Amino acid sequence: AFGVAVIVFELGRRRAATGARLDEIAADVAQTEALLALGTRLRTRRPLPAMRGYAIAPDCALLLATLVAEERPGLVVETGSGVSTLVIAYALEAIGGGRVLSLEHDRARADATRAEIAAHGLSAYATVVHAPLGPCEIAGEGYVWHDLRALEGAGAIDLVFDDGPPKYLGRMLRAASLRVSVGAAQRG
């Protein structure tokens, strides 16, 4: 009886492990499908940087490119920068206009994204502003967010992609994004 119990336990453990691995494979296939679809939607001049780590995943990139194509925004404000900046800029180029203004807290990341924008020939569609995190007040409430001066003169915001700052820098750092973006849209 003990031997049967051990076998049943081991079969259950292996079944769970196999099921988990099959779920991982399905997720990988879904991301591959999204990446292939993104390649048909955006005509890139160079390969996009890797979509792993802190970068957006292919399904998010496809959703973002589709959203830009459907909404046709004049100004997109993005928090964070990288692959998403390139995707938005290529999508804006495909619709024939618009700009993405990316607020980046990390100077090195801002410089790296600017270099990618130039290499892809997207300077007419994308600007990365180094906007360090710091205290700010919005509608009487205190937040830690990007330097608000980065939005001065930006105009009306049509679309916001909130993709930063990363959670490891602290909790609730994205809480101000909606309030700031709505305020800027109303001022524009």
Side-chain angles (χ1 to χ4, degrees):
F2 176 74
V4 172
V6 169
I7 291 172
V8 169
F9 173 79
E10 183 61 22
L11 287 174
R13 190 183 68 75
R14 288 186 185 205
R15 181 177 181 207
T18 301
R21 183 63 187 127
L22 288 173
D23 289 345
E24 290 173 7
I25 291 169
D28 289 346
V29 168
Q31 291 301 333
T32 302
E33 290 171 340
L35 187 59
L36 292 172
L38 183 66
T40 63
R41 177 169 288 280
L42 299 179
R43 300 291 179 213
T44 63
R45 286 178 279 289
R46 298 173 46 118
L48 293 171
M51 293 185 193
R52 59 180 173 264
Y54 287 110
I56 60 172
D59 59 349
C60 181
L62 179 59
L63 178 65
L64 194 53
T66 302
L67 184 63
V68 169
E70 290 174 358
E71 296 297 321
R72 307 181 71 80
L75 177 62
V76 179
V77 170
E78 170 189 35
T79 58
S81 70
V83 177
S84 55
T85 311
L86 297 173
V87 168
I88 295 167
Y90 271 120
L92 290 169
E93 181 182 58
I95 64 170
R99 288 197 58 78
V100 56
L101 174 64
S102 296
L103 309 180
E104 178 57 63
H105 77 280
D106 182 274
R107 184 176 302 279
R109 166 86 347 239
D111 291 343
T113 303
R114 285 188 201 109
E116 285 285 350
I117 289 167
H120 282 265
L122 293 168
S123 297
Y125 299 96
T127 302
V128 178
V129 177
H130 176 238
L133 300 177
C136 64
E137 187 173 304
I138 305 149
E141 293 186 48
Y143 296 94
V144 174
W145 202 66
H146 297 279
D147 186 338
L148 292 173
R149 291 175 290 186
L151 293 174
E152 288 177 1
I157 299 169
D158 301 307
L159 181 65
V160 175
F161 181 58
D162 188 10
D163 191 31
K167 188 176 179 179
Y168 74 83
L169 290 174
R171 298 190 73 229
M172 301 301 292
L173 292 178
R174 295 183 185 191
S177 189
L178 182 60
R179 303 227 35 198
V180 169
S181 300
V182 167
Q186 290 171 346
R187 285 192 306 278

Coordinates of all heavy atoms in Angstrom, one line a residue, residues 67-110:
L67 N -3.3 49.9 -31.2 CA -4.0 51.0 -30.6 C -3.6 52.3 -31.3 O -4.4 53.1 -31.6 CB -3.6 51.1 -29.1 CG -4.3 52.1 -28.3 CD1 -5.8 51.9 -28.2 CD2 -3.7 52.1 -26.8
V68 N -2.3 52.5 -31.6 CA -1.9 53.7 -32.3 C -2.5 53.8 -33.7 O -3.0 54.8 -34.1 CB -0.3 53.8 -32.4 CG1 0.1 54.9 -33.3 CG2 0.3 54.0 -31.0
A69 N -2.6 52.6 -34.4 CA -3.2 52.6 -35.7 C -4.7 53.0 -35.6 O -5.2 53.7 -36.5 CB -3.0 51.2 -36.3
E70 N -5.3 52.5 -34.6 CA -6.8 52.7 -34.5 C -7.1 54.1 -34.0 O -8.0 54.8 -34.5 CB -7.4 51.7 -33.6 CG -7.4 50.3 -34.3 CD -7.9 49.2 -33.3 OE1 -8.2 49.5 -32.2 OE2 -8.0 48.0 -33.8
E71 N -6.4 54.6 -33.0 CA -6.7 55.9 -32.3 C -6.1 57.1 -33.1 O -6.5 58.2 -32.9 CB -6.3 55.8 -30.9 CG -7.0 54.8 -30.0 CD -8.5 55.1 -30.0 OE1 -8.9 56.3 -29.9 OE2 -9.3 54.1 -30.0
R72 N -5.0 56.8 -33.8 CA -4.3 57.9 -34.5 C -3.9 59.1 -33.7 O -4.3 60.2 -34.0 CB -5.1 58.3 -35.8 CG -5.4 57.1 -36.6 CD -6.2 57.4 -37.9 NE -5.4 58.1 -38.9 CZ -4.6 57.6 -39.7 NH1 -4.4 56.3 -39.7 NH2 -3.9 58.3 -40.6
P73 N -3.2 58.9 -32.6 CA -2.9 60.0 -31.6 C -1.9 61.0 -32.2 O -1.0 60.6 -33.0 CB -2.3 59.3 -30.4 CG -1.7 58.1 -31.0 CD -2.6 57.7 -32.1
G74 N -2.1 62.3 -31.9 CA -1.1 63.3 -32.2 C 0.0 63.3 -31.3 O 1.2 63.5 -31.7
L75 N -0.2 63.1 -30.0 CA 0.8 63.0 -29.0 C 0.6 61.9 -28.1 O -0.5 61.7 -27.5 CB 0.9 64.3 -28.2 CG 1.9 64.4 -27.0 CD1 3.3 64.2 -27.6 CD2 1.8 65.6 -26.2
V76 N 1.6 61.0 -28.0 CA 1.6 59.9 -27.1 C 2.7 60.3 -26.0 O 3.8 60.6 -26.3 CB 2.0 58.6 -27.7 CG1 2.1 57.4 -26.7 CG2 1.1 58.3 -28.9
V77 N 2.3 60.2 -24.7 CA 3.3 60.3 -23.6 C 3.5 58.9 -23.0 O 2.5 58.2 -22.7 CB 2.8 61.3 -22.6 CG1 3.7 61.3 -21.3 CG2 2.8 62.7 -23.1
E78 N 4.7 58.6 -22.9 CA 5.1 57.3 -22.4 C 6.0 57.5 -21.2 O 6.9 58.3 -21.2 CB 5.9 56.6 -23.5 CG 6.5 55.3 -23.1 CD 7.5 54.7 -24.1 OE1 8.1 55.4 -24.9 OE2 7.5 53.5 -24.2
T79 N 5.8 56.7 -20.2 CA 6.7 56.7 -19.0 C 7.6 55.5 -19.2 O 7.1 54.4 -19.4 CB 6.0 56.7 -17.7 OG1 5.2 55.6 -17.6 CG2 5.2 58.0 -17.5
G80 N 8.9 55.7 -19.2 CA 9.9 54.7 -19.5 C 10.2 54.8 -21.0 O 9.5 55.5 -21.7
S81 N 11.3 54.2 -21.4 CA 11.6 54.2 -22.8 C 12.3 52.9 -23.2 O 12.8 52.2 -22.3 CB 12.5 55.4 -23.1 OG 13.8 55.2 -22.5
G82 N 12.4 52.6 -24.5 CA 13.0 51.4 -25.0 C 12.3 50.9 -26.2 O 11.9 51.7 -27.1
V83 N 12.1 49.6 -26.2 CA 11.4 49.0 -27.3 C 10.1 49.6 -27.6 O 9.7 49.8 -28.7 CB 11.3 47.4 -27.1 CG1 10.5 46.8 -28.3 CG2 12.7 46.8 -27.0
S84 N 9.4 49.9 -26.5 CA 8.0 50.5 -26.6 C 8.1 51.8 -27.4 O 7.2 52.1 -28.2 CB 7.4 50.6 -25.3 OG 8.2 51.4 -24.4
T85 N 9.1 52.6 -27.1 CA 9.3 53.9 -27.8 C 9.4 53.6 -29.3 O 8.8 54.3 -30.1 CB 10.5 54.6 -27.3 OG1 10.5 54.6 -25.8 CG2 10.6 56.0 -27.8
L86 N 10.2 52.7 -29.7 CA 10.4 52.4 -31.1 C 9.1 51.9 -31.7 O 8.7 52.3 -32.8 CB 11.5 51.3 -31.3 CG 12.9 51.7 -30.8 CD1 13.8 50.5 -30.9 CD2 13.4 52.9 -31.6
V87 N 8.4 51.0 -31.0 CA 7.1 50.5 -31.5 C 6.1 51.6 -31.8 O 5.5 51.7 -32.8 CB 6.5 49.4 -30.6 CG1 5.1 49.1 -30.9 CG2 7.4 48.2 -30.6
I88 N 6.0 52.5 -30.8 CA 5.1 53.6 -30.9 C 5.5 54.5 -32.1 O 4.7 54.9 -32.9 CB 5.0 54.4 -29.6 CG1 4.4 53.6 -28.5 CG2 4.2 55.7 -29.8 CD1 4.5 54.2 -27.1
A89 N 6.8 54.8 -32.2 CA 7.3 55.7 -33.3 C 7.0 55.1 -34.6 O 6.6 55.7 -35.6 CB 8.8 56.0 -33.0
Y90 N 7.3 53.8 -34.8 CA 7.0 53.1 -36.1 C 5.5 53.1 -36.4 O 5.1 53.3 -37.5 CB 7.5 51.6 -36.0 CG 9.0 51.5 -36.5 CD1 9.9 51.0 -35.7 CD2 9.4 51.8 -37.8 CE1 11.3 50.8 -36.1 CE2 10.7 51.7 -38.2 CZ 11.6 51.2 -37.4 OH 12.9 51.0 -37.8
A91 N 4.7 52.9 -35.4 CA 3.3 52.9 -35.6 C 2.8 54.3 -36.0 O 1.9 54.5 -36.9 CB 2.5 52.5 -34.3
L92 N 3.4 55.4 -35.4 CA 3.0 56.8 -35.8 C 3.5 57.0 -37.2 O 2.8 57.7 -38.0 CB 3.7 57.7 -34.8 CG 3.1 57.8 -33.4 CD1 4.0 58.5 -32.4 CD2 1.7 58.3 -33.4
E93 N 4.7 56.6 -37.5 CA 5.2 56.7 -38.9 C 4.2 56.1 -39.9 O 4.0 56.6 -41.0 CB 6.6 56.1 -39.0 CG 7.2 56.2 -40.4 CD 8.6 55.6 -40.5 OE1 8.7 54.4 -40.2 OE2 9.5 56.3 -40.8
A94 N 3.7 54.9 -39.5 CA 2.8 54.2 -40.4 C 1.5 54.9 -40.7 O 0.9 54.8 -41.8 CB 2.5 52.8 -39.9
I95 N 1.1 55.7 -39.7 CA -0.2 56.5 -39.9 C 0.1 57.9 -40.5 O -0.8 58.6 -40.7 CB -1.0 56.6 -38.6 CG1 -0.3 57.3 -37.5 CG2 -1.5 55.2 -38.2 CD1 -1.2 57.7 -36.3
G96 N 1.4 58.2 -40.6 CA 1.7 59.4 -41.3 C 1.9 60.6 -40.4 O 1.9 61.8 -40.8
G97 N 2.0 60.4 -39.1 CA 2.2 61.6 -38.2 C 2.0 61.3 -36.7 O 1.6 60.2 -36.3
G98 N 2.3 62.3 -35.9 CA 2.2 62.2 -34.5 C 3.6 62.1 -33.9 O 4.6 61.9 -34.6
R99 N 3.7 62.2 -32.5 CA 4.9 62.1 -31.8 C 4.8 61.3 -30.5 O 3.7 61.4 -29.9 CB 5.5 63.5 -31.4 CG 6.0 64.3 -32.6 CD 6.8 65.4 -32.3 NE 8.0 65.1 -31.5 CZ 9.2 64.6 -32.0 NH1 9.3 64.3 -33.2 NH2 10.2 64.4 -31.2
V100 N 5.8 60.7 -30.1 CA 5.8 60.0 -28.8 C 6.9 60.8 -28.0 O 8.0 61.0 -28.4 CB 6.1 58.5 -28.8 CG1 7.4 58.2 -29.6 CG2 6.1 57.9 -27.4
L101 N 6.5 61.2 -26.8 CA 7.4 61.8 -25.8 C 7.6 60.9 -24.7 O 6.6 60.6 -23.9 CB 6.8 63.2 -25.3 CG 7.5 63.9 -24.2 CD1 8.9 64.3 -24.7 CD2 6.7 65.1 -23.7
S102 N 8.8 60.3 -24.6 CA 9.1 59.3 -23.5 C 9.8 60.0 -22.4 O 10.8 60.6 -22.6 CB 9.9 58.2 -24.1 OG 9.2 57.5 -25.1
L103 N 9.2 59.8 -21.2 CA 9.8 60.3 -20.0 C 10.6 59.2 -19.3 O 10.1 58.2 -19.0 CB 8.8 60.8 -19.0 CG 7.7 61.8 -19.5 CD1 6.7 62.2 -18.4 CD2 8.4 63.0 -20.1
E104 N 11.9 59.4 -19.2 CA 12.8 58.3 -18.7 C 13.6 58.8 -17.5 O 14.2 59.9 -17.6 CB 13.8 57.9 -19.8 CG 14.8 56.9 -19.4 CD 14.2 55.6 -18.9 OE1 13.5 54.9 -19.7 OE2 14.4 55.3 -17.7
H105 N 13.5 58.1 -16.4 CA 14.1 58.5 -15.2 C 15.6 58.2 -15.2 O 16.4 58.9 -14.5 CB 13.5 57.8 -14.0 CG 13.9 56.4 -13.8 ND1 13.3 55.4 -14.6 CD2 14.8 55.8 -13.0 CE1 13.9 54.2 -14.2 NE2 14.8 54.5 -13.3
D106 N 16.1 57.3 -16.0 CA 17.5 56.8 -16.0 C 18.2 57.5 -17.2 O 17.8 57.2 -18.3 CB 17.5 55.3 -16.1 CG 18.9 54.7 -16.0 OD1 19.5 54.6 -17.1 OD2 19.4 54.4 -14.9
R107 N 19.2 58.3 -16.9 CA 19.9 59.0 -18.0 C 20.6 58.0 -19.0 O 20.5 58.2 -20.2 CB 21.0 59.9 -17.4 CG 21.7 60.7 -18.4 CD 22.7 61.7 -17.9 NE 22.2 62.6 -16.9 CZ 21.5 63.7 -17.2 NH1 21.3 64.0 -18.5 NH2 21.0 64.5 -16.3
A108 N 21.2 56.9 -18.5 CA 21.8 56.0 -19.4 C 20.8 55.3 -20.3 O 21.0 55.1 -21.5 CB 22.6 54.9 -18.6
R109 N 19.6 55.0 -19.8 CA 18.5 54.4 -20.6 C 18.0 55.4 -21.6 O 17.7 55.0 -22.7 CB 17.4 53.9 -19.7 CG 16.1 53.6 -20.3 CD 15.9 52.2 -20.9 NE 16.9 51.2 -21.1 CZ 17.3 50.7 -22.3 NH1 16.7 51.1 -23.4 NH2 18.2 49.8 -22.4
A110 N 17.9 56.6 -21.2 CA 17.4 57.7 -22.1 C 18.4 57.8 -23.3 O 18.0 57.9 -24.4 CB 17.3 59.0 -21.4

